[in-house]
Amino acid sequence: MKPNLLKLACVFGLAASTALNALPAAAKEEFKVGIVTFLSGPAAGPFGVPGHQGAELVIEAINAGELPAPYNTPGFAGARLAPIFVDEAGGNTKQVAEYRNLVQKQGVDAVIGYISSGSCLSVAPVAEELKTLTIIPVCGSPRLFEEGGKDYVFRTTGHAVGDGVAAALYVRDKFGDAPAYTGINQNYAWGQDSYKFFDLAMKTINPDTAASDNPQFPKLFAGQFGTEISTLSLDKAPLVHSSFWDGDMEAFVLQANVRGFFRQKTFISTLGASAVDRLGKGFPEGVVMGTRGEYGLLVRNLDTPLNRWFVDRYKEKYGEYPLGPSYQYAQSVLALKIAMDKAAEAAGGFPKQAQIIDALTGLEWDSFGGRVSMALGGGHQAVHPVGYGITGWNKKTGEPEATGVVFYPADCIMPPEGQTGIEWLEAGMPGASC
Amino acid sequence: MLHAILSDKTVRLTALALLALAAAGLMLPAWVVDNMMFGLARGAAVLGLLVLWRTGLMSFGHGLYFGLGAYAVALSEHWLGLSDFALRILAAMLVAVVAGFALGFILRRYRDIFFAMLSLAFSMVLYGILVKTEALGSTDGFSVSQTTFLGWAPEGKQVLFSAIIAVCLALAVLVQMYLRSTLGRLTTAIRDNEIRVEYLGYSVARAIHIKYVISAALAGAAGGMMAMALGQVDPDSMVYWTVSGELVFITIMAGPGSVLAPFIGAIIFEFLRTYAFEIAPHAWQLIVGGTLLLIIFFLPGGIWSLLERIPFIRRLRHD
């Protein structure tokens, strides 16, 4: 009996230890970075794939030293960045496990990624535990840095509070006499938060505009919005806020458009811009559209060398325009390069992780769409202007465009250090300068 | 009683295997230990499904109890500040037992696909409630802070790993004892002929109800351990039907042969998924699904039937 028992125990040991042999050796001149975006599932189309392409384009360009000045030095502190692409689909459990695999098994030096709030909130504590530099390009939940400071986690884009406040400011400037507003948001954390922030900001910024008592929260990926469209149409509020994205956004636009919804209502979309390109001429004119910052549709015609390079090269390589997430991923990659170059200069050699983190903390840089500064969260949370524009169809170019674009500076739309978004909004946004 | 436990060869084998794993944990790299913890936690839930499966019942909704256990850990921390391992496991099992006991009154009246689908429906009700309620964390869920042991917060994951192994071992031994008891042996009898069991003077409904509560308790403990191992709970990874699906997947993959099988199956599943994810980030689901198909075609008794080719293990069946 005994030898057989032992045999079994050996099988266990072996199964586990053979896994060890898969450990690859890391070369010195290579900087390995895990790039996590949605490669499958519903978020792949509007977020994951554009983000993946934005990162890929800029990584290749930086490795080859082809980015416009002042970022035209090749490599990251001279090293080549070797990306390992990982799928963000599969739930937060999977993401935490995969994050550990990236760091402990594949031995990456840093991770850039996470689009969904759920995945970035669950991965951040693990990043702290494993002491690995993690740059989050897209995830928008303000809870990321509100629930305790982070040493290894950075976010190079603003969060959902800024999106909501900027939308309320845009309403003040363009639709100040609207009597009331309502909303249609998906019934999950992002949709609930987005409407809450917009709602609270409206109470401070446009106190005369009444909130509807019947905002709609259909199920995530419901796909059919007949009832909601009827309810919204019967509601007297002319303004409709929405954080819809992907299939839901397109389905809603198609279903609402045939019923004349967009002639009757002003639809404020905080992140539905992927549908503008996808539906082309089928996308209604006059929709208030945001891209969560100086990204995508709103800066498509911005004429800076960096932006021209990005838009043109992206279009050339992938046959489409860069969307918000393309900019956001590219921005994270660029931030890593700048921090690493800066740290290398200070260290007089290839920087250690602590030196890169020092350089990235509080960093300010000119990104593709505009200037970004890591001003909040102890220098770990980026702020930048957030704007909105109105969709239209440019007959000359035969392409969609945004007109009447207004960007609101970061100090008007983001809560100050040490205050959570909700506290700040409920207190009436003290200190906001516009 | 103790003698009966210690002389049971399945118990001995399970103890030896899990202790070997605990010892191996000291030498293995952190990511392997992590994946094993996930595997063991899931294995405990699969053990719960095994208890039902032996009676010919399959629940497509054990994510309900898995999720209740996980949320019991997260919410007891969020509301009461609990972080002790034993209290967390107890809270997880308690919540699952209460829910399982209540729902058992309805579910014990159904068999086959009706039982499976009804349990799926209940799990999706919990999913819907969690997603729509901001106070319960909505889709973002909660993070779960480090587990303490009587006030001691150890460095690294080794202690938690050992504690999870201890719980899994205890659960496996209890289930084995149950399966060998008269009530447990009714299991197969009920599957074969319910009416005869009734004529023997046993209540089938009550036997199934007890089975269901045991199975819920196991899944609750599993969810609690998963929440501690992972440090995060959210409806999509704890309650959604795909979670229940994964448990069924592992049950079939592992086979119903032994109380050790669920743990082996669940650990293999974790590694299978990890490698599939790494090798084919765009098509990992295909590899995982393909493996299940191969097992169903070529190993209808699951992975355990492979192990049963070893004479010593085969003899356990008739023990």
Side-chain angles (χ1 to χ4, degrees):
Chain A
M1 297 277 159
K2 273 269 161 66
N4 278 325
L5 281 175
L6 273 179
K7 228 183 264 173
L8 194 79
C10 289
V11 170
F12 259 106
L14 269 178
S17 58
T18 41
L20 277 177
N21 300 332
L23 270 179
K28 257 290 167 210
E29 61 276 11
E30 230 183 36
F31 194 73
K32 256 189 170 176
V33 177
I35 310 276
V36 190
T37 72
F38 283 101
L39 299 175
S40 62
F47 297 108
V49 171
H52 171 257
Q53 291 172 348
E56 187 181 57
L57 177 74
V58 173
I59 289 170
E60 280 170 11
I62 292 177
N63 279 341
E66 285 169 355
L67 224 56
Y71 308 126
N72 50 358
T73 53
F76 296 72
R80 226 187 118 263
L81 191 150
I84 297 173
F85 290 102
V86 175
D87 190 358
E88 194 179 328
N92 302 348
T93 321
K94 190 81 209 92
Q95 286 319 307
V96 168
E98 279 317 310
Y99 184 91
R100 288 183 188 279
N101 283 337
L102 272 175
V103 174
Q104 297 174 329
K105 179 154 169 283
Q106 312 230 39
V108 296
D109 298 294
V111 175
I112 295 178
Y114 304 107
I115 290 168
S116 132
S117 301
S119 26
C120 83
L121 289 172
S122 52
V123 160
V126 188
E128 293 291 308
E129 181 198 322
L130 300 180
K131 303 188 174 18
T132 304
L133 171 62
T134 301
I135 304 177
I136 294 173
V138 178
C139 143
S141 170
R143 277 173 56 198
L144 183 62
F145 291 100
E146 284 174 356
E147 293 177 350
K150 305 271 189 296
D151 295 324
Y152 299 90
V153 178
F154 291 83
R155 173 159 58 189
T156 50
T157 197
H159 56 61
V161 172
D163 305 337
V165 176
L169 288 168
Y170 197 78
V171 166
R172 180 196 67 188
D173 293 350
K174 303 273 174 177
F175 311 95
D177 49 358
Y181 63 94
T182 182
I184 176 164
N185 289 278
Q186 292 144 324
N187 203 345
Y188 78 123
W190 173 262
Q192 293 153 357
D193 280 354
S194 293
Y195 187 70
K196 188 162 50 182
F197 299 145
F198 175 73
D199 187 40
L200 286 169
M202 284 294 285
K203 287 191 168 54
T204 303
I205 296 167
N206 305 298
D208 296 334
T209 310
S212 161
D213 50 11
N214 196 14
Q216 297 297 302
F217 287 96
K219 200 159 78 63
L220 182 62
F221 307 137
Q224 288 294 330
F225 302 102
T227 336
E228 285 83 2
I229 293 167
S230 301
T231 314
L232 292 173
S233 300
L234 290 173
D235 198 310
K236 294 219 167 50
L239 302 173
V240 182
H241 168 275
S242 177
S243 59
F244 270 18
W245 49 276
D246 191 50
D248 277 352
M249 177 69 186
E250 284 173 36
F252 179 83
V253 166
L254 292 171
Q255 292 163 24
N257 209 8
V258 292
R259 296 173 61 173
F261 182 84
F262 297 102
R263 284 193 302 276
Q264 188 195 355
K265 304 277 181 187
T266 301
F267 191 67
I268 304 161
S269 169
T270 55
L271 73 161
S274 68
V276 178
D277 286 315
R278 202 97 63 97
L279 297 180
K281 222 173 167 182
F283 194 88
E285 302 197 359
V287 168
V288 175
M289 183 60 67
T291 52
R292 297 197 53 211
E294 293 164 307
Y295 313 128
L297 180 70
L298 298 190
V299 293
R300 194 160 285 170
N301 298 317
L302 176 74
D303 222 359
T304 61
L306 211 51
N307 192 51
R308 275 273 65 84
W309 177 90
F310 188 64
V311 174
D312 293 346
R313 287 292 297 272
Y314 193 99
K315 184 106 205 276
E316 193 182 303
K317 184 160 183 191
Y318 302 109
E320 54 201 31
Y321 282 112
L323 297 176
S326 321
Y327 274 86
Q328 289 170 314
Y329 268 83
Q331 181 155 302
S332 288
V333 173
L334 183 61
L336 179 64
K337 175 189 170 51
I338 296 168
M340 285 181 70
D341 288 355
K342 200 175 137 195
E345 207 175 305
F350 195 78
K352 292 195 173 63
Q353 176 170 277
Q355 293 163 324
I356 301 173
I357 286 176
D358 272 349
L360 192 52
T361 306
L363 185 73
E364 266 189 60
W365 76 100
D366 285 313
S367 190
F368 298 96
R371 197 158 177 83
V372 183
S373 77
M374 305 293 282
L376 293 176
H380 287 237
Q381 163 67 53
V383 300
H384 51 70
V386 175
Y388 285 83
I390 293 181
T391 58
W393 183 258
N394 188 328
K395 287 205 187 78
K396 258 188 263 159
T397 58
E399 281 172 356
E401 61 176 5
T403 53
V405 177
V406 183
F407 279 101
Y408 297 96
D411 51 5
C412 295
I413 57 170
M414 292 288 270
E417 187 79 299
Q419 213 169 3
T420 70
I422 291 282
E423 282 165 13
W424 179 66
L425 288 168
E426 280 176 348
M429 302 165 53
S433 56
C434 37
Chain B
M1 177 67 188
L2 191 68
H3 180 74
I5 293 175
L6 291 178
S7 62
D8 186 299
K9 292 204 181 84
T10 302
V11 167
R12 284 194 197 168
L13 179 69
T14 308
L16 198 72
L18 288 176
L19 289 176
L21 197 63
L26 296 173
M27 294 171 288
L28 293 169
W31 71 269
V32 177
V33 171
D34 271 317
N35 275 317
M36 294 228 205
M37 278 200 287
F38 302 153
L40 287 168
R42 236 187 271 279
V46 175
L47 187 61
L49 283 182
L50 180 139
V51 170
L52 288 175
W53 195 14
R54 288 259 182 119
T55 324
L57 292 171
M58 181 50 85
S59 161
F60 286 175
H62 253 42
L64 171 65
Y65 303 108
F66 193 74
L68 281 175
Y71 269 81
V73 167
L75 290 174
S76 65
E77 181 196 332
H78 201 66
W79 290 337
L80 311 169
L82 280 191
S83 69
D84 187 72
F85 182 81
L87 291 178
R88 280 178 163 181
I89 290 279
L90 284 179
M93 290 180 83
L94 186 71
V95 172
V97 164
V98 170
F101 182 71
L103 292 181
F105 285 105
I106 303 171
L107 281 162
R108 69 186 197 179
R109 301 165 55 186
Y110 296 88
R111 302 291 180 272
D112 305 328
I113 193 70
F114 308 103
F115 180 88
M117 295 311 284
L118 197 56
S119 54
L120 174 65
F122 284 125
S123 79
M124 290 309 285
V125 168
L126 177 67
Y127 177 80
I129 292 172
L130 289 174
V131 165
K132 287 173 185 166
T133 317
E134 284 178 62
L136 296 175
S138 188
T139 40
D140 282 351
F142 296 102
S143 53
V144 175
S145 69
Q146 203 199 351
T147 305
T148 57
F149 298 83
L150 302 170
W152 172 50
E155 276 281 308
K157 288 277 175 85
Q158 292 298 344
V159 181
L160 182 62
F161 181 52
S162 310
I164 285 179
I165 287 182
V167 171
C168 287
L169 180 57
L171 294 175
V173 169
L174 289 173
V175 168
Q176 174 70 8
M177 288 298 102
Y178 163 75
L179 290 176
R180 293 194 56 186
S181 69
T182 314
L183 201 58
R185 293 207 196 270
L186 275 181
T187 294
T188 338
I190 291 172
R191 189 185 58 200
D192 292 343
N193 195 328
E194 281 192 23
I195 295 169
R196 275 195 190 171
V197 173
E198 291 275 359
Y199 274 104
L200 285 173
Y202 293 102
S203 160
V204 170
R206 181 180 294 169
I208 287 181
H209 199 163
I210 292 173
K211 216 170 268 301
Y212 189 73
V213 173
I214 291 176
S215 154
L218 287 163
M225 290 190 281
M226 188 57 134
M228 286 187 266
L230 195 67
Q232 166 78 17
V233 302
D234 65 280
D236 281 303
S237 13
M238 298 294 179
V239 194
Y240 199 49
W241 66 266
T242 52
V243 178
S244 310
E246 277 165 10
L247 297 177
V248 174
F249 182 117
I250 301 169
T251 313
I252 296 168
M253 192 171 95
S258 161
V259 293
L260 185 55
F263 298 102
I264 297 176
I267 290 176
I268 290 177
F269 175 75
E270 285 302 325
F271 284 98
L272 172 71
R273 203 160 62 155
T274 299
Y275 277 101
F277 215 73
E278 191 178 316
I279 294 162
H282 292 270
W284 57 276
Q285 293 98 332
L286 205 65
I287 297 181
V288 176
T291 311
L292 184 66
L293 281 182
L294 289 178
I295 286 179
I296 292 171
F297 282 134
F298 298 109
L299 275 181
I303 291 170
W304 188 255
S305 65
L306 263 189
L307 290 175
E308 278 193 336
R309 301 207 175 149
I310 304 170
F312 164 70
I313 294 177
R314 190 166 48 233
R315 254 172 272 138
L316 290 179
R317 170 170 283 201
H318 312 289
D319 217 17

